[in-house]
Amino acid sequence: MDHADHGASGADGPACAADLTHRILARVPVGMGPEAVVVDPVGGCAFVACSRSNGVTAVDLERAMVRWRAETGREPIPLIHDAPTGRLFSADARSDTVTVLRADTGERLAQVRVGEYPSGLGYHPGLRRVYSGDTAAGTVSVLDVDRMELVGTVPAELGAGSIAVDVTRGRAYVANFMSASVTVFDAQTLQPLGLLPAGNGPCKVVVNPVADHLYVANSLQGTVMRISLATGEAIDELPVERAPVGLCVSPDGRWIYVCNRGAGTVSVLDAASGRESHRIQVEQAPGDCAVDPRTGRLLVSNAGAGTLTIVDRPWLSGPAPAATHPLVGRPLPAFALPDAHTGQVRTTREWAEKKYVINFFASW
């Protein structure tokens, strides 16, 4: 989409702005209170859980327009996409259910009863399990992805919500918002493995398998904690802006994106150094984010604005690169030069429609 486009293109279309600093490509209206965002790179689609609309919205990422909307239970907050089955799982906080939808059409396939106020989901593709953080119950409900049914429960602490899974070690991590802690359990046996400390109001946990780190967004103190997955020890706390509630990591593990709900920004952190590279201004109350692995674009849900912001190349800061030379992409001008060995005049006509390399060499 042209960066210079402005205005809206209909009820389901994007409103575009020329934000060259951070390359905002589109702002797509999706519904009220959008929170979790997940991407289906094969289908070229993003799915957004709209908590105040009680549904999920599918967004075509090529056209930046809505494909379909589907009802779930009341107040869906987190969302999981299972590629092998083409299913979506939404945890519906005020219905105490997990709703299962077809990702291609939004058709409802099942609705599974879980613990009180489910507000977080985790996923282990190898074990074929989805884990639901039941905030009011202080538990984790475990669902079989293929059978779409409850298969177990794990004790956590009050405020259990966001869940991250380290598939390498087979461990799951649950952020306990009200207890300022992270519960660790075995993803297969469901055996509790202990607690990790967190800051005030841990809202989101994410695993970075490349850095071998766990990140915890502490919403009440404006920090992101880095924890070693190997040792379970806290490495440091990285300051961000107000009320960080959403997190995601770039596919190469290099960048951490933090949704600062109270500031309307996304902090871009270097995963190696922990330093903040820059901030991206999005819209009101960003809730969560995801990266499209095909394009590297960052997708940010804005709970206060009811939109999905699409950011191109979010790891770059500063002004847009200079325009390419006007001759780039045009046919090579015809010219002739004498052959250095024979003296015979050679012209570019001899290599028309062929690939060749010209080596310009000067001696002095």
PDB file of all heavy atoms in Angstrom, residues 278-313:
ATOM      1  N   HIS A 278      13.872   1.988  19.573  1.00  0.00           N
ATOM      2  CA  HIS A 278      12.988   3.103  19.253  1.00  0.00           C
ATOM      3  C   HIS A 278      11.574   2.728  19.662  1.00  0.00           C
ATOM      4  O   HIS A 278      11.332   1.616  20.141  1.00  0.00           O
ATOM      5  CB  HIS A 278      13.053   3.447  17.763  1.00  0.00           C
ATOM      6  CG  HIS A 278      12.732   2.308  16.846  1.00  0.00           C
ATOM      7  ND1 HIS A 278      13.569   1.223  16.676  1.00  0.00           N
ATOM      8  CD2 HIS A 278      11.666   2.059  16.035  1.00  0.00           C
ATOM      9  CE1 HIS A 278      13.033   0.374  15.811  1.00  0.00           C
ATOM     10  NE2 HIS A 278      11.872   0.847  15.415  1.00  0.00           N
ATOM     11  N   ARG A 279      10.669   3.655  19.483  1.00  0.00           N
ATOM     12  CA  ARG A 279       9.256   3.442  19.789  1.00  0.00           C
ATOM     13  C   ARG A 279       8.412   3.751  18.572  1.00  0.00           C
ATOM     14  O   ARG A 279       8.702   4.674  17.826  1.00  0.00           O
ATOM     15  CB  ARG A 279       8.811   4.319  20.968  1.00  0.00           C
ATOM     16  CG  ARG A 279       9.471   3.944  22.276  1.00  0.00           C
ATOM     17  CD  ARG A 279       9.127   4.910  23.386  1.00  0.00           C
ATOM     18  NE  ARG A 279       9.890   4.613  24.592  1.00  0.00           N
ATOM     19  CZ  ARG A 279       9.927   5.390  25.667  1.00  0.00           C
ATOM     20  NH1 ARG A 279       9.243   6.526  25.673  1.00  0.00           N
ATOM     21  NH2 ARG A 279      10.648   5.041  26.714  1.00  0.00           N
ATOM     22  N   ILE A 280       7.367   2.961  18.417  1.00  0.00           N
ATOM     23  CA  ILE A 280       6.453   3.145  17.299  1.00  0.00           C
ATOM     24  C   ILE A 280       5.131   3.681  17.842  1.00  0.00           C
ATOM     25  O   ILE A 280       4.521   3.059  18.712  1.00  0.00           O
ATOM     26  CB  ILE A 280       6.215   1.815  16.563  1.00  0.00           C
ATOM     27  CG1 ILE A 280       7.535   1.237  16.054  1.00  0.00           C
ATOM     28  CG2 ILE A 280       5.234   2.008  15.413  1.00  0.00           C
ATOM     29  CD1 ILE A 280       7.411  -0.167  15.495  1.00  0.00           C
ATOM     30  N   GLN A 281       4.707   4.814  17.344  1.00  0.00           N
ATOM     31  CA  GLN A 281       3.414   5.376  17.739  1.00  0.00           C
ATOM     32  C   GLN A 281       2.322   4.636  16.986  1.00  0.00           C
ATOM     33  O   GLN A 281       2.312   4.626  15.741  1.00  0.00           O
ATOM     34  CB  GLN A 281       3.353   6.868  17.418  1.00  0.00           C
ATOM     35  CG  GLN A 281       2.109   7.564  17.955  1.00  0.00           C
ATOM     36  CD  GLN A 281       2.153   7.706  19.471  1.00  0.00           C
ATOM     37  OE1 GLN A 281       3.171   8.075  20.056  1.00  0.00           O
ATOM     38  NE2 GLN A 281       1.026   7.408  20.119  1.00  0.00           N
ATOM     39  N   VAL A 282       1.411   3.997  17.713  1.00  0.00           N
ATOM     40  CA  VAL A 282       0.296   3.310  17.069  1.00  0.00           C
ATOM     41  C   VAL A 282      -0.999   4.056  17.401  1.00  0.00           C
ATOM     42  O   VAL A 282      -1.071   5.254  17.184  1.00  0.00           O
ATOM     43  CB  VAL A 282       0.261   1.813  17.456  1.00  0.00           C
ATOM     44  CG1 VAL A 282       1.371   1.067  16.726  1.00  0.00           C
ATOM     45  CG2 VAL A 282       0.366   1.577  18.946  1.00  0.00           C
ATOM     46  N   GLU A 283      -2.014   3.361  17.938  1.00  0.00           N
ATOM     47  CA  GLU A 283      -3.236   4.059  18.313  1.00  0.00           C
ATOM     48  C   GLU A 283      -3.540   3.801  19.783  1.00  0.00           C
ATOM     49  O   GLU A 283      -2.689   3.290  20.519  1.00  0.00           O
ATOM     50  CB  GLU A 283      -4.389   3.639  17.394  1.00  0.00           C
ATOM     51  CG  GLU A 283      -4.192   4.135  15.963  1.00  0.00           C
ATOM     52  CD  GLU A 283      -5.443   4.011  15.134  1.00  0.00           C
ATOM     53  OE1 GLU A 283      -5.694   2.923  14.593  1.00  0.00           O
ATOM     54  OE2 GLU A 283      -6.182   5.018  15.031  1.00  0.00           O
ATOM     55  N   GLN A 284      -4.734   4.121  20.213  1.00  0.00           N
ATOM     56  CA  GLN A 284      -5.046   4.096  21.641  1.00  0.00           C
ATOM     57  C   GLN A 284      -5.044   2.682  22.213  1.00  0.00           C
ATOM     58  O   GLN A 284      -5.629   1.761  21.646  1.00  0.00           O
ATOM     59  CB  GLN A 284      -6.413   4.740  21.895  1.00  0.00           C
ATOM     60  CG  GLN A 284      -6.486   6.216  21.557  1.00  0.00           C
ATOM     61  CD  GLN A 284      -7.887   6.764  21.728  1.00  0.00           C
ATOM     62  OE1 GLN A 284      -8.825   6.047  22.052  1.00  0.00           O
ATOM     63  NE2 GLN A 284      -8.031   8.057  21.505  1.00  0.00           N
ATOM     64  N   ALA A 285      -4.375   2.547  23.356  1.00  0.00           N
ATOM     65  CA  ALA A 285      -4.411   1.317  24.159  1.00  0.00           C
ATOM     66  C   ALA A 285      -4.036   0.065  23.387  1.00  0.00           C
ATOM     67  O   ALA A 285      -4.840  -0.867  23.282  1.00  0.00           O
ATOM     68  CB  ALA A 285      -5.784   1.161  24.816  1.00  0.00           C
ATOM     69  N   PRO A 286      -2.816   0.000  22.832  1.00  0.00           N
ATOM     70  CA  PRO A 286      -2.416  -1.234  22.148  1.00  0.00           C
ATOM     71  C   PRO A 286      -2.457  -2.416  23.111  1.00  0.00           C
ATOM     72  O   PRO A 286      -1.956  -2.344  24.232  1.00  0.00           O
ATOM     73  CB  PRO A 286      -0.988  -0.933  21.682  1.00  0.00           C
ATOM     74  CG  PRO A 286      -0.507   0.175  22.569  1.00  0.00           C
ATOM     75  CD  PRO A 286      -1.721   0.982  22.888  1.00  0.00           C
ATOM     76  N   GLY A 287      -3.071  -3.517  22.647  1.00  0.00           N
ATOM     77  CA  GLY A 287      -3.266  -4.658  23.535  1.00  0.00           C
ATOM     78  C   GLY A 287      -2.277  -5.776  23.320  1.00  0.00           C
ATOM     79  O   GLY A 287      -1.758  -6.353  24.260  1.00  0.00           O
ATOM     80  N   ASP A 288      -2.011  -6.115  22.066  1.00  0.00           N
ATOM     81  CA  ASP A 288      -1.082  -7.200  21.789  1.00  0.00           C
ATOM     82  C   ASP A 288      -0.558  -7.048  20.372  1.00  0.00           C
ATOM     83  O   ASP A 288      -0.996  -6.163  19.617  1.00  0.00           O
ATOM     84  CB  ASP A 288      -1.759  -8.559  21.978  1.00  0.00           C
ATOM     85  CG  ASP A 288      -0.778  -9.635  22.439  1.00  0.00           C
ATOM     86  OD1 ASP A 288       0.440  -9.374  22.454  1.00  0.00           O
ATOM     87  OD2 ASP A 288      -1.223 -10.737  22.774  1.00  0.00           O
ATOM     88  N   CYS A 289       0.390  -7.923  19.995  1.00  0.00           N
ATOM     89  CA  CYS A 289       1.017  -7.798  18.694  1.00  0.00           C
ATOM     90  C   CYS A 289       1.503  -9.152  18.205  1.00  0.00           C
ATOM     91  O   CYS A 289       1.618 -10.111  18.977  1.00  0.00           O
ATOM     92  CB  CYS A 289       2.182  -6.804  18.742  1.00  0.00           C
ATOM     93  SG  CYS A 289       3.428  -7.190  20.002  1.00  0.00           S
ATOM     94  N   ALA A 290       1.786  -9.230  16.915  1.00  0.00           N
ATOM     95  CA  ALA A 290       2.330 -10.432  16.293  1.00  0.00           C
ATOM     96  C   ALA A 290       3.091  -9.998  15.052  1.00  0.00           C
ATOM     97  O   ALA A 290       2.841  -8.924  14.497  1.00  0.00           O
ATOM     98  CB  ALA A 290       1.215 -11.410  15.919  1.00  0.00           C
ATOM     99  N   VAL A 291       4.033 -10.847  14.619  1.00  0.00           N
ATOM    100  CA  VAL A 291       4.812 -10.569  13.416  1.00  0.00           C
ATOM    101  C   VAL A 291       4.406 -11.553  12.324  1.00  0.00           C
ATOM    102  O   VAL A 291       4.321 -12.754  12.566  1.00  0.00           O
ATOM    103  CB  VAL A 291       6.323 -10.680  13.700  1.00  0.00           C
ATOM    104  CG1 VAL A 291       7.122 -10.491  12.411  1.00  0.00           C
ATOM    105  CG2 VAL A 291       6.757  -9.651  14.740  1.00  0.00           C
ATOM    106  N   ASP A 292       4.148 -11.027  11.120  1.00  0.00           N
ATOM    107  CA  ASP A 292       3.880 -11.871   9.967  1.00  0.00           C
ATOM    108  C   ASP A 292       5.219 -12.415   9.472  1.00  0.00           C
ATOM    109  O   ASP A 292       6.052 -11.644   8.967  1.00  0.00           O
ATOM    110  CB  ASP A 292       3.200 -11.049   8.863  1.00  0.00           C
ATOM    111  CG  ASP A 292       2.877 -11.863   7.619  1.00  0.00           C
ATOM    112  OD1 ASP A 292       3.291 -13.041   7.555  1.00  0.00           O
ATOM    113  OD2 ASP A 292       2.228 -11.311   6.714  1.00  0.00           O
ATOM    114  N   PRO A 293       5.494 -13.719   9.601  1.00  0.00           N
ATOM    115  CA  PRO A 293       6.812 -14.237   9.228  1.00  0.00           C
ATOM    116  C   PRO A 293       7.123 -14.146   7.743  1.00  0.00           C
ATOM    117  O   PRO A 293       8.283 -14.188   7.345  1.00  0.00           O
ATOM    118  CB  PRO A 293       6.752 -15.706   9.689  1.00  0.00           C
ATOM    119  CG  PRO A 293       5.309 -16.040   9.757  1.00  0.00           C
ATOM    120  CD  PRO A 293       4.608 -14.775  10.132  1.00  0.00           C
ATOM    121  N   ARG A 294       6.110 -13.995   6.901  1.00  0.00           N
ATOM    122  CA  ARG A 294       6.368 -13.863   5.460  1.00  0.00           C
ATOM    123  C   ARG A 294       6.967 -12.518   5.118  1.00  0.00           C
ATOM    124  O   ARG A 294       7.864 -12.412   4.298  1.00  0.00           O
ATOM    125  CB  ARG A 294       5.070 -14.022   4.668  1.00  0.00           C
ATOM    126  CG  ARG A 294       4.337 -15.332   4.804  1.00  0.00           C
ATOM    127  CD  ARG A 294       3.022 -15.237   4.047  1.00  0.00           C
ATOM    128  NE  ARG A 294       2.313 -14.001   4.377  1.00  0.00           N
ATOM    129  CZ  ARG A 294       1.469 -13.362   3.567  1.00  0.00           C
ATOM    130  NH1 ARG A 294       1.239 -13.823   2.366  1.00  0.00           N
ATOM    131  NH2 ARG A 294       0.859 -12.255   3.970  1.00  0.00           N
ATOM    132  N   THR A 295       6.436 -11.466   5.727  1.00  0.00           N
ATOM    133  CA  THR A 295       6.807 -10.105   5.350  1.00  0.00           C
ATOM    134  C   THR A 295       7.611  -9.378   6.410  1.00  0.00           C
ATOM    135  O   THR A 295       8.196  -8.332   6.124  1.00  0.00           O
ATOM    136  CB  THR A 295       5.533  -9.282   5.075  1.00  0.00           C
ATOM    137  OG1 THR A 295       4.748  -9.215   6.283  1.00  0.00           O
ATOM    138  CG2 THR A 295       4.705  -9.930   3.971  1.00  0.00           C
ATOM    139  N   GLY A 296       7.622  -9.895   7.645  1.00  0.00           N
ATOM    140  CA  GLY A 296       8.283  -9.193   8.737  1.00  0.00           C
ATOM    141  C   GLY A 296       7.477  -8.032   9.276  1.00  0.00           C
ATOM    142  O   GLY A 296       7.953  -7.292  10.141  1.00  0.00           O
ATOM    143  N   ARG A 297       6.258  -7.864   8.796  1.00  0.00           N
ATOM    144  CA  ARG A 297       5.445  -6.739   9.266  1.00  0.00           C
ATOM    145  C   ARG A 297       4.888  -7.005  10.657  1.00  0.00           C
ATOM    146  O   ARG A 297       4.554  -8.145  10.995  1.00  0.00           O
ATOM    147  CB  ARG A 297       4.296  -6.477   8.291  1.00  0.00           C
ATOM    148  CG  ARG A 297       4.774  -5.941   6.956  1.00  0.00           C
ATOM    149  CD  ARG A 297       3.657  -5.849   5.940  1.00  0.00           C
ATOM    150  NE  ARG A 297       4.145  -5.281   4.679  1.00  0.00           N
ATOM    151  CZ  ARG A 297       3.438  -5.218   3.564  1.00  0.00           C
ATOM    152  NH1 ARG A 297       2.185  -5.692   3.554  1.00  0.00           N
ATOM    153  NH2 ARG A 297       3.954  -4.693   2.479  1.00  0.00           N
ATOM    154  N   LEU A 298       4.802  -5.943  11.441  1.00  0.00           N
ATOM    155  CA  LEU A 298       4.271  -6.019  12.797  1.00  0.00           C
ATOM    156  C   LEU A 298       2.787  -5.668  12.783  1.00  0.00           C
ATOM    157  O   LEU A 298       2.380  -4.675  12.176  1.00  0.00           O
ATOM    158  CB  LEU A 298       5.023  -5.042  13.709  1.00  0.00           C
ATOM    159  CG  LEU A 298       4.585  -5.001  15.179  1.00  0.00           C
ATOM    160  CD1 LEU A 298       4.946  -6.303  15.884  1.00  0.00           C
ATOM    161  CD2 LEU A 298       5.219  -3.811  15.885  1.00  0.00           C
ATOM    162  N   LEU A 299       1.989  -6.495  13.455  1.00  0.00           N
ATOM    163  CA  LEU A 299       0.545  -6.274  13.540  1.00  0.00           C
ATOM    164  C   LEU A 299       0.205  -5.965  14.989  1.00  0.00           C
ATOM    165  O   LEU A 299       0.516  -6.750  15.886  1.00  0.00           O
ATOM    166  CB  LEU A 299      -0.208  -7.519  13.072  1.00  0.00           C
ATOM    167  CG  LEU A 299       0.286  -8.140  11.761  1.00  0.00           C
ATOM    168  CD1 LEU A 299      -0.432  -9.443  11.488  1.00  0.00           C
ATOM    169  CD2 LEU A 299       0.109  -7.169  10.600  1.00  0.00           C
ATOM    170  N   VAL A 300      -0.447  -4.826  15.223  1.00  0.00           N
ATOM    171  CA  VAL A 300      -0.732  -4.361  16.583  1.00  0.00           C
ATOM    172  C   VAL A 300      -2.224  -4.114  16.738  1.00  0.00           C
ATOM    173  O   VAL A 300      -2.822  -3.360  15.958  1.00  0.00           O
ATOM    174  CB  VAL A 300       0.041  -3.060  16.906  1.00  0.00           C
ATOM    175  CG1 VAL A 300      -0.206  -2.643  18.355  1.00  0.00           C
ATOM    176  CG2 VAL A 300       1.525  -3.224  16.637  1.00  0.00           C
ATOM    177  N   SER A 301      -2.831  -4.752  17.749  1.00  0.00           N
ATOM    178  CA  SER A 301      -4.239  -4.488  18.044  1.00  0.00           C
ATOM    179  C   SER A 301      -4.335  -3.277  18.964  1.00  0.00           C
ATOM    180  O   SER A 301      -3.550  -3.130  19.898  1.00  0.00           O
ATOM    181  CB  SER A 301      -4.873  -5.700  18.725  1.00  0.00           C
ATOM    182  OG  SER A 301      -4.277  -5.933  19.991  1.00  0.00           O
ATOM    183  N   ASN A 302      -5.285  -2.397  18.673  1.00  0.00           N
ATOM    184  CA  ASN A 302      -5.468  -1.179  19.471  1.00  0.00           C
ATOM    185  C   ASN A 302      -6.832  -1.227  20.147  1.00  0.00           C
ATOM    186  O   ASN A 302      -7.853  -0.929  19.518  1.00  0.00           O
ATOM    187  CB  ASN A 302      -5.355   0.054  18.576  1.00  0.00           C
ATOM    188  CG  ASN A 302      -4.033   0.075  17.816  1.00  0.00           C
ATOM    189  OD1 ASN A 302      -2.982   0.290  18.384  1.00  0.00           O
ATOM    190  ND2 ASN A 302      -4.097  -0.164  16.509  1.00  0.00           N
ATOM    191  N   ALA A 303      -6.826  -1.637  21.429  1.00  0.00           N
ATOM    192  CA  ALA A 303      -8.088  -1.860  22.135  1.00  0.00           C
ATOM    193  C   ALA A 303      -8.920  -0.597  22.242  1.00  0.00           C
ATOM    194  O   ALA A 303     -10.154  -0.649  22.230  1.00  0.00           O
ATOM    195  CB  ALA A 303      -7.808  -2.438  23.523  1.00  0.00           C
ATOM    196  N   GLY A 304      -8.272   0.558  22.360  1.00  0.00           N
ATOM    197  CA  GLY A 304      -9.009   1.804  22.507  1.00  0.00           C
ATOM    198  C   GLY A 304      -9.534   2.372  21.215  1.00  0.00           C
ATOM    199  O   GLY A 304     -10.434   3.212  21.221  1.00  0.00           O
ATOM    200  N   ALA A 305      -8.973   1.931  20.093  1.00  0.00           N
ATOM    201  CA  ALA A 305      -9.368   2.474  18.793  1.00  0.00           C
ATOM    202  C   ALA A 305     -10.155   1.484  17.949  1.00  0.00           C
ATOM    203  O   ALA A 305     -10.740   1.868  16.935  1.00  0.00           O
ATOM    204  CB  ALA A 305      -8.126   2.924  18.019  1.00  0.00           C
ATOM    205  N   GLY A 306     -10.154   0.209  18.332  1.00  0.00           N
ATOM    206  CA  GLY A 306     -10.875  -0.798  17.563  1.00  0.00           C
ATOM    207  C   GLY A 306     -10.234  -1.116  16.231  1.00  0.00           C
ATOM    208  O   GLY A 306     -10.934  -1.460  15.273  1.00  0.00           O
ATOM    209  N   THR A 307      -8.900  -1.017  16.170  1.00  0.00           N
ATOM    210  CA  THR A 307      -8.207  -1.192  14.899  1.00  0.00           C
ATOM    211  C   THR A 307      -7.040  -2.166  15.025  1.00  0.00           C
ATOM    212  O   THR A 307      -6.556  -2.465  16.113  1.00  0.00           O
ATOM    213  CB  THR A 307      -7.649   0.141  14.379  1.00  0.00           C
ATOM    214  OG1 THR A 307      -6.753   0.682  15.364  1.00  0.00           O
ATOM    215  CG2 THR A 307      -8.757   1.137  14.098  1.00  0.00           C
ATOM    216  N   LEU A 308      -6.577  -2.610  13.855  1.00  0.00           N
ATOM    217  CA  LEU A 308      -5.333  -3.371  13.732  1.00  0.00           C
ATOM    218  C   LEU A 308      -4.371  -2.513  12.927  1.00  0.00           C
ATOM    219  O   LEU A 308      -4.647  -2.167  11.777  1.00  0.00           O
ATOM    220  CB  LEU A 308      -5.577  -4.700  13.014  1.00  0.00           C
ATOM    221  CG  LEU A 308      -4.332  -5.582  12.803  1.00  0.00           C
ATOM    222  CD1 LEU A 308      -3.861  -6.179  14.123  1.00  0.00           C
ATOM    223  CD2 LEU A 308      -4.627  -6.684  11.784  1.00  0.00           C
ATOM    224  N   THR A 309      -3.236  -2.155  13.529  1.00  0.00           N
ATOM    225  CA  THR A 309      -2.215  -1.367  12.840  1.00  0.00           C
ATOM    226  C   THR A 309      -1.209  -2.304  12.191  1.00  0.00           C
ATOM    227  O   THR A 309      -0.719  -3.233  12.832  1.00  0.00           O
ATOM    228  CB  THR A 309      -1.490  -0.425  13.816  1.00  0.00           C
ATOM    229  OG1 THR A 309      -2.427   0.505  14.367  1.00  0.00           O
ATOM    230  CG2 THR A 309      -0.390   0.359  13.102  1.00  0.00           C
ATOM    231  N   ILE A 310      -0.894  -2.056  10.916  1.00  0.00           N
ATOM    232  CA  ILE A 310       0.097  -2.843  10.188  1.00  0.00           C
ATOM    233  C   ILE A 310       1.325  -1.963   9.969  1.00  0.00           C
ATOM    234  O   ILE A 310       1.236  -0.902   9.349  1.00  0.00           O
ATOM    235  CB  ILE A 310      -0.461  -3.340   8.849  1.00  0.00           C
ATOM    236  CG1 ILE A 310      -1.739  -4.168   9.085  1.00  0.00           C
ATOM    237  CG2 ILE A 310       0.580  -4.161   8.103  1.00  0.00           C
ATOM    238  CD1 ILE A 310      -2.422  -4.629   7.807  1.00  0.00           C
ATOM    239  N   VAL A 311       2.465  -2.411  10.511  1.00  0.00           N
ATOM    240  CA  VAL A 311       3.707  -1.633  10.470  1.00  0.00           C
ATOM    241  C   VAL A 311       4.719  -2.365   9.608  1.00  0.00           C
ATOM    242  O   VAL A 311       5.026  -3.534   9.850  1.00  0.00           O
ATOM    243  CB  VAL A 311       4.292  -1.437  11.890  1.00  0.00           C
ATOM    244  CG1 VAL A 311       5.496  -0.495  11.842  1.00  0.00           C
ATOM    245  CG2 VAL A 311       3.234  -0.910  12.851  1.00  0.00           C
ATOM    246  N   ASP A 312       5.254  -1.674   8.613  1.00  0.00           N
ATOM    247  CA  ASP A 312       6.244  -2.292   7.730  1.00  0.00           C
ATOM    248  C   ASP A 312       7.638  -2.126   8.314  1.00  0.00           C
ATOM    249  O   ASP A 312       8.004  -1.051   8.785  1.00  0.00           O
ATOM    250  CB  ASP A 312       6.188  -1.632   6.351  1.00  0.00           C
ATOM    251  CG  ASP A 312       6.968  -2.400   5.300  1.00  0.00           C
ATOM    252  OD1 ASP A 312       7.146  -3.620   5.469  1.00  0.00           O
ATOM    253  OD2 ASP A 312       7.400  -1.787   4.308  1.00  0.00           O
ATOM    254  N   ARG A 313       8.439  -3.188   8.277  1.00  0.00           N
ATOM    255  CA  ARG A 313       9.812  -3.192   8.743  1.00  0.00           C
ATOM    256  C   ARG A 313       9.956  -2.463  10.084  1.00  0.00           C
ATOM    257  O   ARG A 313      10.648  -1.454  10.199  1.00  0.00           O
ATOM    258  CB  ARG A 313      10.728  -2.555   7.697  1.00  0.00           C
ATOM    259  CG  ARG A 313      10.767  -3.375   6.407  1.00  0.00           C
ATOM    260  CD  ARG A 313      11.905  -2.955   5.511  1.00  0.00           C
ATOM    261  NE  ARG A 313      11.718  -1.613   4.971  1.00  0.00           N
ATOM    262  CZ  ARG A 313      12.637  -0.980   4.263  1.00  0.00           C
ATOM    263  NH1 ARG A 313      13.782  -1.556   4.012  1.00  0.00           N
ATOM    264  NH2 ARG A 313      12.405   0.228   3.807  1.00  0.00           N
TER     265      ARG A 313
END
